[in-house]
């Protein structure tokens, strides 16, 4: 049976003629099926409440008896009707505007249900809606759906229409989802869900109905992507990396730490892809400090062992140098050569590196954008890793990929939302997630303080230094002027040098030469500097496990994700770490961000709040304007459902049965019919 509700014209509904059908059409509703799936965007609550539990300013529904003769005032062309009502033995003043016709019906002693806005102090209700239980009770006690309406179609008319559609055709609503998925996620039947969404008996029922339909919506969407992928994308034209498990185990066993379970799992996922003939396109998301680098290292090791080369692209030179150092150390015992390619190499060094890459003398190259220049060639590029992917444009990543013959691609990020989300949705990437941090890491304690507490902040730096720990002191970034930015850092450096004469204070900013920056970082990393004053050049990736104190000056000038990245520079070792945000208490927006920062150090939660605070428009920017519109699902809140749906869809489309068995006919029809949502692959 196919879902023929989408073939039934609206005129089959009682009371819908050609003209009304036309108006509904303007709202995107052309068939009975469309109407049934025209969901409310919120509910009005008409459930009767006790006055004692009501707060000032709330919209409420109460029930009582009329206690006085109504009085009416007229002014201009308007009227105000006032009447006293006894509710739970409290006398309430009810006020109607422009409802003069009600006056006759307000007879003392009569029962009445009132809905409106409550003024606690004056015990005053501005009535939006009223009903008499002795006549009819259409709304009282219910949750009334609110639809988006337009033209001559009013809210009440829409409610009536949908009600009628449910009565006339509700029984024909087919189930689409396979039983195994309904059981797996304990979802209610489709017919019940659609009915409940329009007429929920209570909040819980409404939520269950919503849960079912959100899952369905995301599942159908994913099914389309996966079906496309199953038929087009999994072409066997990638590199096969023969991975020797014993070899990998040996490599991992000599690391200075044991991998977390999360890291092991993610490594397995990556190696599994690398062994396959299709091209890996995997996104690794993990909060700051979750240990993504070593995961990338294992992948790079595997590609080199298979006779290919690996490239690791990072957004800053400081990070490129750091990764070159740490990978170099890891790979040295195996004779694997790691090189660095950045924009500030001397011409001679650069030519050297390029030649070695092309001849295959260099196994792994770490670099910045310099990697994607035209004259960079590889002998055989097997794996491309991009770290902190949110810093790169889509094009930059695909240029690097094209420097090989379909190399495998691993993209890493500590900012899971929103771009990651977009990629998850559009980009046909597989997603791996590092859910835990290495064992023994203590949560970073975060405080937000005023500028006047600088003395105590300095005391904190001293205390950490006495324990042998190090601090970062980040200067405000001044968007308009890098020069001012640098000046700020220089000034702060001078102040701190004077205020902390017994400590070594370092300085790092964007105007220093690459060599100066590298030297400064190396000294700091070796533990010789107690405090490093820096602009945001160290924002991403920098890893100095002995650093335990992150201080951010004028923190209210930073975005939430950025603050979280900065905070992630500490808490990378076994010691208790701290983050102090010096912020202006008068910046309202700023305080909201400080609150989020002090309440959570979970990067996924931070992203969510960032979106909440900034709003989707600003958060998503214009780049991702192709975001699909869902009727019910909200990609941010329903992210986890999206992942479930994605796995289910992938599993289903990989089964031969899905393509042939009549049990999935409804789903296949749906795939064919629903061409409304389609995303372009991002990469
Ligand atoms: P990020 O995910 O932010 O890139 P890194 O890869 O830089 O994190 O790792 C952060 C720190 O944790 C590094 O010093 C790294 O050596 C260390 N590390 C990584 N994995 C583990 C582990 N399983 N146990 C202990 N320390 C680890
Ligand atoms: Mg990193």
């Amino acid at each position: 049976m196919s879902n023929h509700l989408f073939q039934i014209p609206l005129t089959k509904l009682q009371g819908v003629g050609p003209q009304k059908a036309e108006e509904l059409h303007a709202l995107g509703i052309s068939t009975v099926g469309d109407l049934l799936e025209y969901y409310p965007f919120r509910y009005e609550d008409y459930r009767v409440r006790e006055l004692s539990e009501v707060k000032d300013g709330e919209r409420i529904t109460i029930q009582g008896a009329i206690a006085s003769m109504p009085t009416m005032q007229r002014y201009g062309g308007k009227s105000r009707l006032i009447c006293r009502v006894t509710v739970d033995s409290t006398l309430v003043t009810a006020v109607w505007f422009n409802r003069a016709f009600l006056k006759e019906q307000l007879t003392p002693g009569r029962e009445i249900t009132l809905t409106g806005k409550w003024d606690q102090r004056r015990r005053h209700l501005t009535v939006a809606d009223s009903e008499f239980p002795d006549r009819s009770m259409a709304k009282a006690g219910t949750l009334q759906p609110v639809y988006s309406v337009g033209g001559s179609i009013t809210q009440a008319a829409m409610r009536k229409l949908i009600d009628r559609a449910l009565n006339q055709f509700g029984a024909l609503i087919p189930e689409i989802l396979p039983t195994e998925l309904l059981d797996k996620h304990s979802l209610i039947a489709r017919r019940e869900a659609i009915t409940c969404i329009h007429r929920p008996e209570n909040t819980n029922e409404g939520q269950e109905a919503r849960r079912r339909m959100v899952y369905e919506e995301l599942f159908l969407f994913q099914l389309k992507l996966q079906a496309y992928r199953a038929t087009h994308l999994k072409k066997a034209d990638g590199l096969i990396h023969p991975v020797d498990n014993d070899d990998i185990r040996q490599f991992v066993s000599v690391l200075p730490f044991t991998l977390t379970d999360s890291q092991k799992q993610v490594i397995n996922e990556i190696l599994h892809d690398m062994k396959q003939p299709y091209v890996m396109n995997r996104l690794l998301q993990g909060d700051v400090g979750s240990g993504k680098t070593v995961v990338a290292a294992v992948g790079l090791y595997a590609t080199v062992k298979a006779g290919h080369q690996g490239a690791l692209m990072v957004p800053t030179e400081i990070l490129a140098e750091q990764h070159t150092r740490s990978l170099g150390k890891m790979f040295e015992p195996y004779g694997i050569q790691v090189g660095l390619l950045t924009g500030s190499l001397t011409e001679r060094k650069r030519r050297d590196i390029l030649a070695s890459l092309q001849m295959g003398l260099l196994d792994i190259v770490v670099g910045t954008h310099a990697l994607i220049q035209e004259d960079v060639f590889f002998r055989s590029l097997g794996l491309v890793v991009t770290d902190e992917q949110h810093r790169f444009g889509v094009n930059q990543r695909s240029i690097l990929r094209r420097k090989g013959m379909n190399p495998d691609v691993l993209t890493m990020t500590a900012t899971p939302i929103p771009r990651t989300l977009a990629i998850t949705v559009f980009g046909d990437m597989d997603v791996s997630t590092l859910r835990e941090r290495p064992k023994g890491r203590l949560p970073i304690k975060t405080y937000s303080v005023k500028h006047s507490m600088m003395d105590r902040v300095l005391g904190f730096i001293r205390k950490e230094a006495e324990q042998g720990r190090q601090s970062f002191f980040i200067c405000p970034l001044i968007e308009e002027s890098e020069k001012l930015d640098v000046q700020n850092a220089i000034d702060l450096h001078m102040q701190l040098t004077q205020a902390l004469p017994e400590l070594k204070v370092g300085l790092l900013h964007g105007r220093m030469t690459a060599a100066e920056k590298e030297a400064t970082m190396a000294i700091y990393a070796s533990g010789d500097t107690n405090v490093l004053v820096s602009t945001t050049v160290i924002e991403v990736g920098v890893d100095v496990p002995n650093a335990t104190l992150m201080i951010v000056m004028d923190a209210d000038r930073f975005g939430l994700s950025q603050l979280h990245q900065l905070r992630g520079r500490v808490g990378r070792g076994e010691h208790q770490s701290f983050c102090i945000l010096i912020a202006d208490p008068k910046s309202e927006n700023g305080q909201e961000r400080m609150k989020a920062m002090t309440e959570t150090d979970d990067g996924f939660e931070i992203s969510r709040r960032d979106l909440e605070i900034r709003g989707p428009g600003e958060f998503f920017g214009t780049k991702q304007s192709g975001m699909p519109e869902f009727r019910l699902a909200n990609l941010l809140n329903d992210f986890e459902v999206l992942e479930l749906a994605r796995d289910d869809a992938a599993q289903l489309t990989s089964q031969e049965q899905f393509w042939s068995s009549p049990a999935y006919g409804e789903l296949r029809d749906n795939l064919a019919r629903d061409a409304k949502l389609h995303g372009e692959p991002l990469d």
Side-chain angles (χ1 to χ4, degrees):
M1 182 184 73
S2 92
N3 192 353
H4 67 279
L5 289 170
F6 289 96
Q7 270 125 46
I8 304 179
L10 290 165
T11 44
K12 290 274 184 232
L13 276 177
Q14 250 171 46
V16 180
Q19 200 194 328
K20 198 164 242 172
E22 195 64 31
E23 279 174 24
L24 286 166
H25 189 75
L27 296 172
I29 306 170
S30 310
T31 65
V32 169
D34 294 334
L35 188 61
L36 288 171
E37 291 185 23
Y38 197 73
Y39 302 127
F41 59 89
R42 67 179 179 87
Y43 299 94
E44 271 170 0
D45 193 345
Y46 284 89
R47 288 172 301 177
V48 176
R49 310 253 312 259
E50 304 261 325
L51 268 186
S52 56
E53 59 182 40
V54 162
K55 285 200 230 61
D56 184 46
E58 272 190 302
R59 183 195 154 94
I60 55 164
T61 296
I62 46 178
Q63 204 155 14
I66 294 170
S68 73
M69 289 297 287
T71 57
M72 186 150 69
Q73 299 160 354
R74 289 190 183 274
Y75 54 101
K78 302 175 178 168
S79 72
R80 184 193 285 136
L81 189 60
I82 300 168
C83 183
R84 299 203 194 283
V85 178
T86 320
V87 179
D88 311 332
S89 70
T90 303
L91 207 55
V92 170
T93 306
V95 183
W96 286 259
F97 288 94
N98 307 321
R99 292 282 192 285
F101 61 90
L102 277 177
K103 186 166 178 237
E104 304 307 311
Q105 302 173 33
L106 298 175
T107 48
R110 193 176 184 191
E111 290 279 315
I112 188 165
T113 308
L114 302 166
T115 301
K117 194 174 164 195
W118 178 240
D119 180 334
Q120 175 77 30
R121 198 176 50 81
R122 294 155 68 204
R123 284 206 223 121
H124 191 123
L125 190 79
T126 307
V127 181
D129 227 319
S130 51
E131 286 181 328
F132 297 100
D134 59 17
R135 179 109 50 80
S136 78
M137 288 272 277
K139 291 180 188 154
T142 66
L143 289 167
Q144 286 286 313
V146 181
Y147 301 95
S148 141
V149 290
S152 72
I153 297 179
T154 62
Q155 198 57 246
M158 185 62 96
R159 283 177 188 159
K160 208 179 260 173
L161 268 175
I162 289 179
D163 226 38
R164 212 168 275 159
L166 281 171
N167 292 341
Q168 252 179 281
F169 296 100
L172 301 180
I173 297 173
E175 183 54 76
I176 308 187
L177 296 178
T179 325
E180 67 257 29
L181 290 180
L182 294 178
D183 291 347
K184 180 175 169 191
H185 303 297
S186 317
L187 299 172
I188 59 173
R190 190 158 199 276
R191 185 177 310 157
E192 192 184 338
I194 290 185
T195 310
C196 275
I197 278 188
H198 294 295
R199 310 166 170 167
E201 289 269 315
N202 52 51
T203 327
N204 189 34
E205 210 182 275
Q207 274 164 0
E208 277 302 298
R210 183 181 181 278
R211 188 170 75 85
R212 141 86 211 206
M213 295 313 291
V214 164
Y215 174 84
E216 175 183 310
E217 190 169 39
L218 295 175
F219 174 76
L220 292 180
F221 176 65
Q222 283 295 328
L223 195 65
K224 260 186 54 178
L225 277 184
Q226 301 289 342
Y228 174 74
R229 179 195 187 90
T231 48
H232 298 270
L233 291 181
K234 293 258 160 161
K235 280 185 288 188
D237 57 358
L239 285 174
I240 299 179
H241 289 91
V243 176
D244 178 346
N245 287 340
D246 288 336
D247 199 8
I248 299 287
R249 232 169 268 137
Q250 193 279 330
F251 177 76
V252 165
S253 71
V254 298
L255 290 171
F257 43 74
T258 23
L259 295 178
T260 63
D261 290 344
S262 248
Q263 283 170 323
K264 282 185 204 156
Q265 188 192 335
V266 162
I267 287 172
N268 277 335
E269 288 165 1
I270 292 169
L271 294 179
H272 172 83
D273 279 357
M274 290 177 67
K275 281 184 222 170
Q276 305 297 319
Y278 56 76
V279 177
M280 169 168 83
N281 191 11
R282 190 168 277 281
L283 179 73
L284 170 58
Q285 52 179 29
D287 205 351
V288 281
S290 60
K292 294 184 287 294
T293 314
V294 68
V295 172
V298 175
L300 291 168
Y301 179 72
T303 203
V304 173
K305 281 297 190 171
H308 303 289
Q309 292 164 295
L312 171 60
M313 183 160 72
V314 299
T316 66
E317 293 199 353
I318 290 176
L319 202 48
E321 273 147 16
Q322 176 187 296
H323 279 330
T324 310
R325 260 199 312 275
S326 60
L327 293 181
K329 220 184 288 163
M330 263 187 249
F331 290 129
E332 202 189 335
Y334 307 93
I336 295 175
Q337 300 297 319
V338 182
L340 172 71
L341 185 61
T342 64
S344 55
L345 291 188
T346 60
E347 193 45 41
R348 201 172 136 196
K349 262 202 185 142
R350 180 164 187 277
R351 254 182 291 143
D352 256 12
I353 294 273
L354 293 188
S356 322
L357 267 182
Q358 193 163 11
M359 288 189 290
L361 300 176
L362 204 53
D363 302 300
I364 293 170
V365 65
V366 181
T368 54
H369 298 84
L371 281 179
I372 58 177
Q373 258 137 36
E374 261 173 48
D375 55 352
V376 180
F377 297 100
F378 292 80
R379 188 180 62 80
S380 169
L381 182 58
L383 176 68
V384 170
V385 184
T386 317
D387 195 11
E388 308 293 349
Q389 63 87 25
H390 60 286
R391 291 299 197 88
F392 293 100
V394 168
N395 285 340
Q396 290 171 322
R397 281 182 279 141
S398 57
I399 293 175
L400 184 53
R401 164 188 310 182
R402 272 182 257 123
K403 291 188 181 290
M405 296 283 290
N406 294 335
D408 283 330
V409 175
L410 177 67
T411 306
M412 309 201 288
T413 181
T415 312
I417 294 166
R419 284 200 183 88
T420 302
L421 199 51
I423 290 165
T424 310
V425 172
F426 297 114
D428 301 300
M429 281 188 171
D430 291 301
V431 180
S432 290
T433 307
L434 285 176
R435 298 206 181 269
E436 53 180 339
R437 295 186 196 175
K439 287 209 181 58
R441 296 278 168 82
L442 301 165
I444 301 166
K445 293 190 177 158
T446 304
Y447 309 96
S448 156
V449 305
K450 291 182 251 182
H451 288 84
S452 58
M453 291 171 79
M454 189 57 113
D455 280 348
R456 290 180 59 183
V457 172
L458 294 180
F460 215 137
I461 297 178
R462 268 190 217 105
K463 210 179 98 229
E464 289 304 294
E466 276 162 20
Q467 321 240 334
R469 307 281 87 79
Q470 295 163 274
S471 308
F472 288 108
F473 207 132
I474 306 297
C475 299
L477 108 156
I478 297 164
E479 299 261 345
E480 316 83 66
S481 158
E482 197 201 354
K483 205 167 151 195
L484 277 180
D485 223 17
V486 169
Q487 193 53 51
N488 246 323
I490 293 172
D491 289 349
L492 186 66
H493 176 250
M494 202 141 73
Q495 277 175 35
L496 287 189
T497 311
Q498 281 166 7
L500 302 166
E502 72 280 22
L503 300 186
K504 280 200 196 135
V505 185
L507 173 64
L508 189 70
H509 59 69
R511 287 281 171 101
M512 291 163 60
T513 66
E516 283 169 342
K517 278 191 250 178
E518 191 184 347
T520 306
M521 267 323 288
I523 294 170
Y524 185 72
S526 74
D528 272 358
T529 323
N530 303 102
V531 193
L532 184 63
V533 173
S534 173
T535 55
T536 51
V537 287
I538 62 140
E539 180 185 333
V540 292
V542 166
D543 184 46
V544 180
N546 191 48
T548 51
L549 177 58
M550 165 58 66
I551 302 160
V552 184
M553 194 69 169
D554 290 348
D556 44 284
R557 296 206 194 157
F558 296 87
L560 200 45
S561 299
Q562 205 177 10
L563 287 172
H564 182 66
Q565 278 284 350
L566 285 170
R567 173 168 61 182
R569 297 313 114 222
V570 298
R572 301 172 82 82
E574 62 205 341
H575 309 290
Q576 174 65 56
S577 292
F578 307 89
C579 173
I580 300 181
L581 305 168
I582 304 176
D584 178 0
K586 284 199 287 288
S587 154
E588 220 171 273
N589 243 313
Q591 285 308 310
E592 214 174 332
R593 271 172 274 148
M594 298 313 121
K595 186 161 175 283
M597 284 293 289
T598 48
E599 280 175 2
T600 179
D601 74 341
D602 173 358
F604 290 78
E605 178 60 21
I606 290 279
S607 290
R608 204 178 287 248
R609 300 237 192 148
D610 199 9
L611 177 97
E612 243 171 57
I613 292 172
R614 285 202 278 164
E618 200 181 324
F619 202 102
F620 286 109
T622 46
K623 253 191 180 169
Q624 260 83 42
S625 53
M627 282 297 274
E629 296 269 335
F630 291 105
R631 289 167 203 255
L632 283 175
N634 169 331
L635 285 187
L636 281 146
N637 299 331
D638 300 321
F639 184 62
E640 279 166 16
V641 183
L642 179 68
E643 288 190 340
L644 287 180
R646 178 194 174 93
D647 293 347
D648 291 340
Q651 226 232 328
L652 194 59
T653 49
S654 69
Q655 292 170 16
E656 182 46 42
Q657 283 178 38
F658 172 73
W659 304 96
S660 53
S661 160
Y664 302 107
E666 197 73 68
L667 272 183
R668 287 195 305 268
D669 281 357
N670 195 283
L671 270 186
R673 180 177 60 82
D674 186 17
K676 269 179 248 165
L677 297 170
H678 58 94
E680 297 289 321
L682 257 190
D683 245 350

